[in-house]
């Protein structure tokens, strides 16, 4: 011990002067191969990480923009967030990320027996819900399909019904229809199944919601029509929307309520877009869901519409677009990319504040307004052949963007029928119901 | 920065190792390690680096003084002053928030709880520096003349933020004189890649399952099965995560010719609570043993004093783990268990019947599992909710518990196996059995050479799309 104390600082000592070192075994060929393989792999990963031009900006698998390189500020430098952001940027945009994520998802399938999965939302929705587009009570995955769960809430149901009653009151000269669309679980699962995952009885819930609406609101029962065709492809496996086939059954139910004869699917041109992986797949990227395809039926009278949308200068501009966009891929025409995640946007080009479809040959003055969430996108094209003008207003953006209330717009345009098309989870999302209330002020 | 960040793996670490290996002189290697350690630490906030450098300077100065002063009274004074100052700085950063909020609750006064950023790794490097000063005072290690060398010891990125708590006396010789051999690098690569895989593939995924099963807003409606699975996954996560960091630190150390102490020895295979703490976070247990328990008198001053000494050690252990009362409760829980074991359970433990041994191991596992429940819930009311759920408040088994188990059954088996020595034991036996067969040697050699790269690739897959990459030790 004494000699060690007297040893001078050894920072400059050569290895030959070293203190007794640990016994070391000699190296083997395996050691050499291991060291070479490991460091060559790391060096390759290092070089790939430096190839900035290979770094993606968007993740197709996750359906989001990837983290951008952070901007430098002294404040962020001092508290370390600048460095933390660089670390995030580096990982988030690493070349080949999407392919690796897909491989990881396939690997995770081996973690257990995964025919069925139940994914509950991580937190309750915030009160203001400003950033929550739509709330659901979880996902149940079975047989390669993701089912959204709905839980009935009487208070929320009452508020939605009050909004419809207000619509009737504020637009006394039009016929108001309410169409609450059930979720896929209520069509494809039996009572025992949906009870076991804690979901509510959709038929009973819709009946209760309709029961709270006044006499003047025409309620449209969609569930029986859907149940009668439950063997059909009515809802997507990987997306929270219904398919156009599902929407067609709702169209038939509306026609019955209106007292008009519905057209048959065979009357329209039929299109199919394959390779669709929708919003639910993005929520559970590590679960292999069944690939979807999007079917669309092109209106006979016209396939053109005027879309009022928000341009880069934050002004409303009117554009002439197709109702059913036939091409997929990079859509230069509407500036919208229909990648695997976005194929549902082939219906009326997705969500926009207002869409107006004029049928040039018909001059009977029939005008219908669809006030909708995104379920209305697949539904609206079916109305085109039977009305002179079909207006489609999005509940989230109509008032904010168009600068006019719904009753004023209805009066100005001489609209005689208004259909509210919303899925049952929209009814449970206070922010969205608040948007609808805002439409009527 | 954490070891399981892609930026660390594919940029920082590669650059650091390349520069270390480029330098043939030890001085150059140490300079590279110091530079990269300071960058690594500054990555969490450059201002926090000043604290690390300042505390190291204080301890370096104290060591130098202790090396020159011979009067015992003066030496004691220097030691007491340094330890007090270090502990005060440590407590200020770590416990001011807890102190103010507790006083607020008791005396009901209005005041904002100060938002003091906890410097990452402060619990580890403070203890390392304390061990240095005390060892110099005791004459167990010479004082370090070169400040930068002591800074390298305190800041070395391998172990600075998540341990193990390496004693200066264990590493001073190697910091100053070492050789980096190919066999050491090879062993380090194996250890590092195993640690990385434990963290990236197993621990992180356990973490997502825990977050889902024990989410505060859903706990009140959870079934017993869900809470049980969530807490079992947490038990797995905390071991896999923590031991993974130690594995990676030990592996990186080996790659640089440094040998750090082992920090875990399959703690869930312990046959008593005492044995558990001999296997869990060994560097912390031995720190408290050598610098608190034994100086207080250990078991040499009577039974009552021993119990008191244990109480102090476990109170401090609880506080060390985090600035929240649940950690203190967790420490005291172990004090009760260990005291009971030492005073009451000696006879039952002496029994050799197989069923009694199995029962004892089961008891240890259950006791440790419940300890992790106390550790997990910082909000003690949530702990109460979880316990009531375990007693079937919302039923014992439901769809969520059934699917959580089924969906992750094979993963669970692998994670449990990773907490036991089963795989190394099988590998060792296979190796022994086929030692003389040339074909076997070829296969074993190939597997050994390829395994780190395969684990690196699998870890990369797990990390690349995983936003859930928690660092559990920020509160330490």
């Amino acid at each position: 011990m004494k000699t060690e104390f007297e040893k001078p600082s050894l920072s400059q000592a050569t290895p030959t002067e070293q203190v007794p070192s640990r016994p070391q075994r000699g190296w083997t060929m395996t050691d050499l191969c291991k060291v070479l393989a490991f460091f060559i792999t790391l060096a390759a990963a290092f070089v790939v990480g430096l190839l900035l031009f290979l770094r993606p900006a968007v993740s197709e698998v996750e359906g989001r923009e990837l983290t951008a390189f952070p901007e430098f500020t002294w404040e962020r430098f001092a508290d370390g967030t600048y460095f933390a952001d660089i670390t995030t940027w580096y990982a988030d945009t690493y070349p080949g990320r999407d392919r690796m994520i897909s491989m990881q998802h396939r690997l995770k399938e081996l973690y257990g027996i995964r025919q069925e999965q139940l994914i509950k939302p991580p937190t309750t929705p915030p009160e203001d819900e400003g950033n929550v587009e739509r709330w659901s009570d979880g996902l149940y995955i079975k047989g390669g399909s993701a089912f959204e769960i709905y839980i009935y809430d009487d208070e929320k149901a009452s508020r939605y019904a009050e909004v419809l009653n207000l619509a009737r009151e504020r637009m006394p000269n039009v016929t108001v229809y309410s169409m609450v669309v059930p979720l896929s679980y209520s069509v494809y699962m039996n009572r025992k199944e949906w009870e076991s995952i804690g979901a509510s009885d959709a038929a009973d819930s819709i009946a209760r919601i309709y029961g709270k609406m006044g006499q003047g609101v025409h309620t449209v029962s969609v569930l029986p029509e859907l149940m009668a065709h439950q063997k059909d492809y009515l809802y997507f496996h990987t997306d929270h929307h219904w398919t156009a086939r599902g929407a067609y059954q709702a169209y038939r139910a509306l026609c019955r309520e209106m007292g008009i004869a519905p057209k048959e699917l065979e009357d329209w041109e039929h299109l199919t877009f394959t390779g669709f992986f929708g919003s639910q797949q993005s929520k559970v990227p590590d679960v292999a869901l069944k690939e979807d395809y999007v079917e669309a039926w092109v209106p006979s009278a016209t396939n053109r519409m005027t879309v009022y949308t928000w341009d880069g200068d934050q002004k409303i501009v009117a554009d002439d677009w197709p109702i059913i966009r036939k091409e997929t891929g990079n859509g230069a025409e509407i500036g919208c990319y229909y990648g695997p995640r976005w194929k549902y946007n082939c219906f009326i080009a997705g969500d926009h504040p207002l869409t107006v479809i004029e049928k040039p040959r018909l001059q009977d003055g029939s005008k219908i307004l669809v006030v909708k969430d995104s379920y209305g996108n697949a539904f609206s094209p079916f109305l085109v052949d039977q009305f002179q003008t079909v207006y489609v207003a999005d509940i989230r953006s109509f008032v904010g963007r168009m600068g006019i209330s719904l009753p004023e717009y209805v009066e100005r345009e001489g609209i005689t029928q208004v259909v509210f098309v919303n899925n049952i989870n929209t009814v449970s999302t206070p922010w969205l119901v608040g948007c609808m209330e805002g439409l009527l002020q | 920065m954490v070891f399981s960040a892609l930026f660390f793996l594919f940029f920082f670490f590669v650059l650091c190792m390349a520069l270390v290996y480029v330098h043939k002189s030890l001085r150059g290697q140490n300079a590279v390690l110091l530079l990269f350690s300071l960058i690594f630490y500054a990555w969490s906030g450059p201002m926090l680096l000043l604290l690390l450098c300042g505390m190291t300077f204080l301890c370096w100065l104290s060591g130098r003084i202790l090396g020159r002063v011979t009067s015992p009274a003066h030496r004691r004074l220097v030691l007491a002053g340094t330890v007090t100052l270090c502990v005060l700085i440590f407590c200020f950063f770590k416990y001011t928030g807890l102190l103010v909020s507790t006083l607020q609750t008791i005396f009901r006064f209005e005041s904002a709880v100060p938002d003091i950023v906890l410097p990452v790794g402060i619990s580890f490097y403070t203890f390392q520096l304390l061990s240095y000063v005390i060892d110099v005072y005791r004459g167990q290690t010479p004082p370090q003349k070169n400040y930068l060398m002591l800074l390298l010891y305190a800041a070395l990125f391998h172990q600075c933020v998540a341990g193990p708590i390496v004693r200066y006396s264990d590493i001073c010789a190697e910091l100053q004189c070492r050789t980096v051999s190919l066999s050491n690098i090879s062993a380090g690569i194996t250890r590092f890649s195993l640690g990385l895989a434990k963290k990236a593939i197993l621990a992180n995924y356990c973490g997502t399952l825990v977050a889902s099963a024990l989410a505060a807003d859903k706990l009140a409606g959870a079934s017993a099965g869900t809470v049980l699975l969530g807490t079992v996954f947490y038990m797995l996560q905390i071991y896999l995560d923590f031991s993974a960091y130690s594995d990676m630190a030990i592996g990186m150390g080996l790659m640089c010719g440094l040998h750090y102490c082992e920090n875990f020895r399959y703690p869930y295979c312990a046959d008593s609570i005492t044995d558990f703490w001999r296997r869990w976070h060994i560097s912390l247990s031995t720190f408290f043993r050598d610098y608190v328990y034994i100086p207080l008198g250990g078991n040499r001053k009577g039974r009552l004093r021993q119990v008191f000494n244990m109480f102090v050690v476990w109170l401090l252990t609880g506080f060390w783990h985090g600035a929240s009362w649940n950690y203190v409760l967790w420490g005291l829980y172990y004090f009760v268990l260990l005291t009971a074991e030492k005073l009451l359970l000696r006879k039952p433990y002496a029994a050799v019947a197989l069923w009694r041994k199995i029962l004892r191991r089961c008891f240890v596992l259950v006791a440790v599992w419940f300890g992790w429940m106390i550790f997990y819930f910082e909000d003690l009311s949530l702990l109460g909710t979880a316990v009531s759920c375990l007693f079937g408040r919302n039923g014992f088994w439901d769809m969520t518990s059934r699917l959580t188990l089924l969906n992750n059954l094979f993963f669970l088996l692998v994670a449990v196996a990773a907490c036991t020595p089963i795989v190394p034991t099988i590998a060792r036996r296979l190796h022994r059995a086929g030692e003389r067969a040339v074909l076997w040697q070829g296969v074993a050699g190939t597997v050994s050479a390829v395994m780190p790269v395969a684990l690196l690739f699998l870890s990369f897959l797990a990390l690349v799309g995983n936003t859930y990459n928690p660092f559990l030790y920020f509160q330490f």
Side-chain angles (χ1 to χ4, degrees):
Chain A
M1 190 64 81
K2 183 74 179 161
T3 51
E4 207 176 43
F5 273 29
E6 286 167 355
K7 225 173 240 303
S9 171
L10 293 172
S11 56
Q12 293 169 36
T14 61
T16 50
E17 296 171 325
Q18 64 183 265
V19 287
S21 59
R22 290 156 194 263
Q24 289 173 356
R25 64 174 175 88
W27 60 272
T28 62
M29 209 54 196
T30 303
D31 289 332
L32 182 65
C33 292
K34 189 196 293 182
V35 171
L36 285 176
F38 185 76
F39 282 115
I40 287 171
T41 309
L42 277 185
F46 174 82
V47 172
V48 171
L50 292 182
L51 302 175
L52 296 182
F53 61 91
L54 286 182
R55 287 187 172 261
V58 175
S59 168
E60 278 301 326
V61 173
E62 294 173 309
R64 68 176 177 94
E65 280 186 19
L66 299 172
T67 311
F69 193 84
E71 277 185 36
F72 180 85
T73 63
W74 283 108
E75 198 182 325
R76 291 161 62 75
F77 172 79
D79 67 13
T81 47
Y82 179 70
F83 298 121
D85 291 347
I86 289 179
T87 311
T88 309
W89 163 80
Y90 186 90
D92 211 29
T93 60
Y94 195 83
R97 186 176 179 280
D98 270 5
R99 188 175 295 176
M100 298 301 154
I101 289 176
S102 303
M103 287 174 78
Q104 185 206 10
H105 296 165
R106 284 201 290 278
L107 271 177
K108 279 194 175 168
E109 286 298 300
L110 306 173
Y111 279 18
I113 301 158
R114 296 202 158 195
Q115 277 85 358
E116 284 177 81
Q117 293 181 61
L118 185 59
I119 295 146
K120 291 197 172 173
T123 53
T124 47
E127 274 305 305
D128 59 354
E129 290 181 90
N131 296 319
V132 180
E133 189 184 330
R134 189 163 155 280
W135 184 252
S136 79
D137 289 287
L139 276 186
Y140 173 64
I141 292 153
K142 188 184 177 189
S145 297
F147 298 92
E148 255 186 323
I149 297 168
Y150 163 77
I151 299 173
Y152 179 77
D153 181 318
D154 198 59
E155 199 179 314
K156 289 173 181 170
S158 298
R159 191 172 168 212
Y160 182 77
E162 279 165 22
V163 170
L164 266 292
N165 290 336
L166 182 66
R168 177 75 189 85
E169 195 183 309
R170 298 293 308 275
M171 298 180 286
N173 300 322
V174 302
T175 311
V176 174
Y177 297 92
S178 172
M179 184 188 286
V180 175
V181 183
L183 301 176
S184 55
Y185 77 82
S186 38
V187 176
Y188 291 135
M189 285 186 199
N190 59 42
R191 172 176 287 272
K192 197 179 164 192
E193 270 185 296
W194 51 250
E195 271 182 351
S196 72
I197 57 171
S200 293
D201 181 344
D204 179 57
S205 303
I206 292 170
R208 286 186 194 207
I209 296 165
Y210 284 169
K212 292 171 188 287
M213 292 177 186
Q215 291 290 321
V217 179
H218 294 253
T219 56
V220 183
S221 296
V222 182
L223 187 58
E225 294 282 346
L226 293 168
M227 292 298 282
H229 297 84
Q230 69 184 149
K231 286 185 181 167
D232 290 352
Y233 185 36
L234 304 177
Y235 291 88
F236 294 111
H237 309 293
T238 67
D239 197 72
H240 68 277
H241 294 110
W242 55 3
T243 64
R245 272 185 198 277
Y248 174 73
Q249 298 306 329
Y251 155 76
R252 290 185 71 93
L254 179 68
C255 287
R256 196 174 54 246
E257 184 66 28
M258 286 178 164
I260 58 174
K263 293 187 73 170
E264 297 301 321
L265 281 176
E266 293 72 31
D267 297 340
W268 292 298
E269 182 191 355
H270 179 225
L271 300 171
T272 304
F273 309 120
T274 55
F276 175 44
F277 292 94
S279 58
Q280 310 294 40
Q281 183 67 83
S282 304
K283 282 184 194 166
V284 286
D286 55 341
V287 178
L289 298 175
K290 272 187 205 163
E291 182 180 323
D292 276 309
Y293 57 90
V294 179
E295 288 182 290
W297 282 267
V298 185
S300 309
T302 178
N303 194 30
R304 303 306 300 181
M305 62 183 180
T306 305
V307 173
Y308 294 86
T309 191
W310 202 240
D311 75 352
D313 296 327
Q314 306 213 325
K315 286 179 191 159
I316 279 288
V317 291
D319 269 325
D320 179 44
W321 289 345
I323 297 171
I324 305 293
R325 185 176 160 76
K326 297 183 181 181
E327 311 84 34
T328 56
N330 286 307
E333 188 182 352
I334 59 166
C336 184
Y337 176 64
Y338 292 156
R341 165 114 197 258
W342 309 109
K343 290 188 195 289
Y344 187 78
N345 282 358
C346 71
F347 302 111
I348 62 168
D351 297 315
H352 296 282
L354 178 69
T355 302
V356 180
I357 305 166
E358 304 260 16
K359 188 179 168 189
R361 289 180 209 152
L362 190 71
Q363 294 296 328
D364 63 355
S366 57
K367 293 181 175 182
I368 188 166
L369 168 65
V370 180
V371 184
K372 56 90 195 175
D373 59 18
S374 52
Y375 269 58
N377 298 3
F379 169 82
S380 302
F382 292 116
L383 300 175
V384 172
D385 287 353
Q386 280 158 304
F387 291 87
Q388 181 184 329
T389 313
V390 176
Y391 301 85
V392 185
D394 193 282
I395 57 171
R396 290 156 290 193
S397 54
F398 178 82
V399 168
R401 299 286 192 259
M402 300 305 294
I404 184 171
S405 80
L406 204 69
E408 286 167 346
Y409 186 75
V410 164
E411 195 176 340
R412 192 183 82 188
E413 297 296 317
I415 295 166
T416 53
Q417 298 181 87
V418 177
V419 192
F420 285 83
V421 181
N422 291 302
N423 79 83
I424 201 162
N425 264 341
T426 293
V427 174
S428 305
T429 307
W431 173 67
L432 290 175
V433 178
C435 286
M436 290 175 64
E437 213 169 359
L439 288 173
L440 303 166
Q441 301 305 319
Chain B
M1 203 177 341
V2 291
F3 298 158
S4 51
L6 289 187
F7 185 76
F8 175 85
L9 282 175
F10 294 162
F11 189 81
F12 184 91
F13 179 60
V14 177
L15 216 54
C16 176
M17 293 313 293
L19 289 174
V20 165
Y21 293 147
V22 160
H23 284 88
K24 286 189 177 167
S25 75
L26 190 65
R27 198 175 185 178
Q29 290 182 5
N30 282 346
V32 170
L33 282 176
L34 178 60
L35 178 70
F36 275 79
S37 295
L38 296 180
I39 294 172
F40 182 89
Y41 196 80
W43 210 256
S44 312
M47 304 309 285
L48 302 177
L49 188 60
L50 296 176
L51 183 71
L52 172 64
C53 294
M55 281 179 75
T56 309
F57 182 76
L58 174 71
C59 294
W60 171 77
L61 197 64
S62 166
R64 295 283 290 167
I65 296 169
L66 285 170
R68 289 179 184 208
V69 173
T70 50
S71 151
H74 288 159
R75 285 172 65 81
R76 265 201 301 275
L77 195 68
V78 172
L79 176 73
T82 312
V83 170
T84 308
L85 212 55
C86 282
V87 170
L88 278 178
I89 294 170
F90 170 62
C91 290
F92 170 77
F93 280 100
K94 192 156 176 174
Y95 302 114
T96 307
L98 176 69
L99 183 73
V100 174
S101 62
T102 306
L103 289 176
Q104 265 184 349
T105 313
I106 297 169
F107 298 109
R108 298 177 188 281
F109 63 89
E110 289 290 317
S111 146
V113 178
D115 185 21
I116 297 170
V117 177
L118 182 66
V120 62
I122 190 169
S123 304
F124 291 98
Y125 69 69
T126 303
F127 274 35
Q128 295 200 159
L129 289 169
L130 285 177
S131 82
Y132 164 72
V133 177
I134 296 169
D135 286 355
V136 170
Y137 171 80
R138 288 175 175 172
Q140 290 170 349
T141 193
Q144 174 54 257
K145 291 178 184 170
N146 187 342
Y147 166 70
L148 294 179
M149 287 300 284
L150 191 66
L151 185 61
L152 174 61
Y153 157 69
L156 201 53
F157 70 86
H158 304 158
Q159 33 79 7
C160 176
V161 296
I165 301 168
V166 178
R167 304 272 183 93
Y168 179 75
S169 51
D170 290 343
I171 203 180
C172 66
E174 283 185 337
L175 279 180
Q176 299 174 113
C177 186
R178 63 182 181 273
T179 48
V180 183
S181 70
L182 195 65
S183 59
N184 265 347
I185 299 175
S186 167
I189 285 172
T190 304
R191 192 70 187 265
F192 178 80
S193 52
L194 280 170
L196 179 66
K198 267 161 84 175
K199 164 70 182 158
I201 303 169
L202 301 179
N204 281 0
Y205 187 69
C206 281
T208 59
L209 295 172
V210 173
S212 164
L214 302 180
D217 63 310
K218 289 187 294 181
L219 196 61
S223 67
T226 305
V227 174
L228 180 67
L229 282 168
T231 47
V232 166
F233 277 117
Y234 182 64
M235 187 174 172
L236 294 171
Q237 182 200 4
I238 196 151
Y239 167 70
L240 292 167
D241 201 296
F242 204 174
S243 67
Y245 273 103
S246 290
D247 287 337
M248 286 188 273
I250 292 168
M252 285 188 287
L254 283 171
M255 285 185 233
C256 296
L258 297 163
H259 295 78
Y260 304 136
C261 53
E262 286 297 334
N263 213 17
F264 294 89
R265 280 194 304 113
Y266 302 109
Y268 295 153
C269 297
D271 62 2
S272 68
I273 301 295
T274 310
D275 188 31
F276 173 77
W277 278 101
R278 282 192 199 117
R279 293 160 174 264
W280 179 274
H281 203 172
I282 299 164
S283 62
L284 181 74
S285 313
T286 50
F287 180 94
F288 277 120
R289 184 196 64 199
D290 295 345
Y291 298 110
V292 181
Y293 182 69
I294 291 174
L296 283 173
N299 59 0
R300 292 161 306 175
K301 294 189 176 177
R303 191 48 62 82
L304 204 64
R305 181 59 185 263
Q306 185 191 1
V307 171
F308 172 76
N309 293 344
M310 285 173 64
F311 173 78
V312 172
V313 165
W314 289 102
L315 187 70
L316 292 177
T317 304
F319 268 117
W320 184 88
H321 279 86
S324 175
W325 290 111
N326 69 307
Y327 299 113
V328 180
L329 187 64
W330 175 76
L332 294 178
Y333 168 76
Y334 275 106
F335 160 69
V336 171
L337 286 178
L338 286 163
T339 309
E341 205 168 86
K342 283 204 181 348
L343 302 182
L344 307 172
L345 294 173
R346 280 201 173 162
K347 271 190 182 173
Y349 272 23
V352 288
L354 183 65
W355 71 271
R356 286 199 172 206
K357 282 184 177 174
I358 292 170
L359 209 64
R360 215 164 70 195
R361 281 173 196 266
C362 291
F363 163 72
V364 171
L365 279 177
V366 172
V368 170
W369 162 77
F370 187 72
W372 291 133
M373 277 185 74
I374 300 172
F375 195 88
Y376 180 78
F377 292 106
E378 287 196 0
D379 180 346
L380 291 176
S381 66
L382 286 178
L383 174 66
T385 308
V387 171
S388 66
C389 289
L390 283 172
F391 282 100
R393 184 173 102 164
N394 304 309
F396 286 95
W397 198 247
D398 64 1
M399 184 86 161
T400 307
S401 27
R402 183 174 74 81
L403 291 182
T404 305
L405 181 63
L406 279 179
N407 292 169
N408 304 292
L409 189 61
F410 308 136
F411 172 84
L412 180 65
L413 295 175
V414 172
V416 169
C419 295
T420 66
I422 190 163
V423 177
T425 306
I426 291 171
R428 218 167 24 243
R429 287 195 179 168
L430 280 174
H431 192 69
R432 262 187 228 142
E435 212 165 13
R436 290 181 188 168
V438 178
L439 183 66
W440 166 255
Q441 282 180 353
V443 171
T446 309
V447 169
S448 167
V450 170
M451 188 191 69
V453 174
L455 290 177
L456 185 68
F457 181 68
L458 290 175
S459 304
F460 169 55
L461 287 188
L463 289 172
V464 76
N466 196 353
T467 51
Y468 193 85
N469 191 7
F471 183 62
L472 294 175
Y473 319 107
F474 275 120
Q475 80 269 25
F476 284 11

